[in-house]
Amino acid sequence: LQIQETDGVHWHLLRCIGCQFIGASFLLYRLRNSLVETLCACYFIRILGLISMLLVLVHCSAETPNLIHPNYLKIAKYWCCGWLVVNLYLQSAHRWTIGDTVIANVTENIIFQIDSLISIIIGAAWLAFPGWLLHRQVRISLSESHEFCARFMGTDFLTAYVITNHALHWKNLGDRLIALDARILICALTFAAQIWSQYAYSEHWNGGHWVGILLVSFWMLMAALLRYHSTVQMSQAEEKAKIH
């Protein structure tokens, strides 16, 4: 096995993965007692995430067998498979419920779908072209370990599309606000990680990294505006219900 030293690029990618995990944990905890269609979305995001991670692990063992010890890879694969079976069972027990037809106004419908589209594009890009995306942003030579971390991060971005896409079908508008809170939390943490890495590891990151920072800033602002709009809409609906 090749022993490699870590650098600022590794740590930044791992921080971004951690941001996704924190946001997902927040989301799953807040939605633990929600309606069936909301729970199914949570199970589905786990299923998609575990399958994506399995693909990354299989790719690693096939293309870069010396990167991670085979025993560690085997443990990770078994762990993913075990949780995949559990979540497939839970999803099947809830009959893979999506929900009713889209329950949203035009603004919410458009922005939620844009959010899903951004997640898919960013996630797919990091999974498919990690080296190409990184080499324009860094000052150092990239290795297979950088690409592995980047692909792992890509799985988190890709699977995040599930929540905002399915949220349009949720009857409980409060659950939809929680989904937006999770998106804002992930973007805010990722933004903080990007700013930290840009200055703490300035010898590793170049000016191209600011493009990613601006993208996450826009994403966070869009989610925050939608959160405000949805809150106003919910308040107005509650006031009308009280009047009637």
Side-chain angles (χ1 to χ4, degrees):
L1 291 177
Q2 299 175 353
I3 299 177
Q4 301 181 9
E5 292 185 0
T6 58
D7 51 49
V9 179
H10 287 111
W11 288 111
H12 172 67
L13 294 172
L14 291 174
R15 283 192 183 94
C16 290
I17 293 170
C19 295
Q20 296 280 352
F21 280 0
I22 291 172
S25 300
F26 167 83
L27 180 74
L28 297 175
Y29 177 77
R30 291 293 305 277
L31 297 178
R32 65 192 184 282
N33 296 320
S34 299
L35 299 175
V36 173
E37 60 266 21
T38 306
L39 292 175
C40 281
C42 294
Y43 299 142
F44 189 74
I45 195 172
R46 289 174 179 171
I47 291 169
L48 183 59
L50 289 165
I51 292 174
S52 300
M53 281 191 281
L54 271 173
L55 290 174
V56 172
L57 292 171
V58 171
H59 177 272
C60 178
S61 60
E63 297 296 325
T64 54
N66 295 323
L67 182 61
I68 301 176
H69 195 284
N71 289 339
Y72 295 151
L73 281 174
K74 187 179 294 184
I75 292 171
K77 290 175 186 176
Y78 282 137
W79 183 87
C80 288
C81 288
W83 276 109
L84 182 59
V85 170
V86 171
N87 284 282
L88 283 171
Y89 170 77
L90 292 171
Q91 183 76 320
S92 299
H94 289 80
R95 301 184 179 182
W96 295 74
T97 305
I98 293 178
D100 297 325
T101 55
V102 173
I103 306 172
N105 57 47
V106 175
T107 303
E108 288 180 328
N109 182 32
I110 292 173
I111 298 182
F112 266 104
Q113 292 197 54
I114 290 176
D115 185 281
S116 297
L117 188 62
I118 293 173
S119 295
I120 293 171
I121 292 172
I122 293 178
W126 279 112
L127 279 169
F129 318 112
W132 177 70
L133 288 173
L134 280 174
H135 92 277
R136 294 179 178 275
Q137 304 181 56
V138 301
R139 304 178 189 273
I140 62 175
S141 299
L142 298 173
S143 65
E144 294 87 354
S145 58
H146 293 107
E147 294 193 6
F148 175 80
C149 292
R151 285 195 173 95
F152 201 100
M153 182 181 69
T155 65
D156 294 324
F157 277 113
L158 179 63
T159 55
Y161 96 91
V162 173
I163 294 299
T164 46
N165 190 45
H166 283 228
L168 291 170
H169 302 274
W170 295 349
K171 296 176 184 176
N172 189 342
L173 298 181
D175 290 347
R176 196 176 297 175
L177 294 182
I178 293 174
L180 290 172
D181 289 339
R183 170 62 69 206
I184 294 170
L185 176 62
I186 291 172
C187 288
L189 292 174
T190 304
F191 176 77
Q194 288 176 312
I195 295 296
W196 169 265
S197 296
Q198 184 65 33
Y199 290 103
Y201 307 115
S202 56
E203 70 276 15
H204 298 152
W205 293 93
N206 61 33
H209 190 216
W210 284 103
V211 176
I213 295 174
L214 291 175
L215 175 60
V216 171
S217 302
F218 167 76
W219 201 356
M220 179 171 59
L221 179 62
M222 183 182 71
L225 290 174
L226 180 56
R227 176 63 163 85
Y228 173 76
H229 178 269
S230 299
T231 303
V232 171
Q233 292 289 324
M234 182 182 294
S235 299
Q236 292 176 350
E238 290 176 351
E239 290 178 1
K240 289 181 180 179
K242 289 179 181 179
I243 293 174
H244 295 291

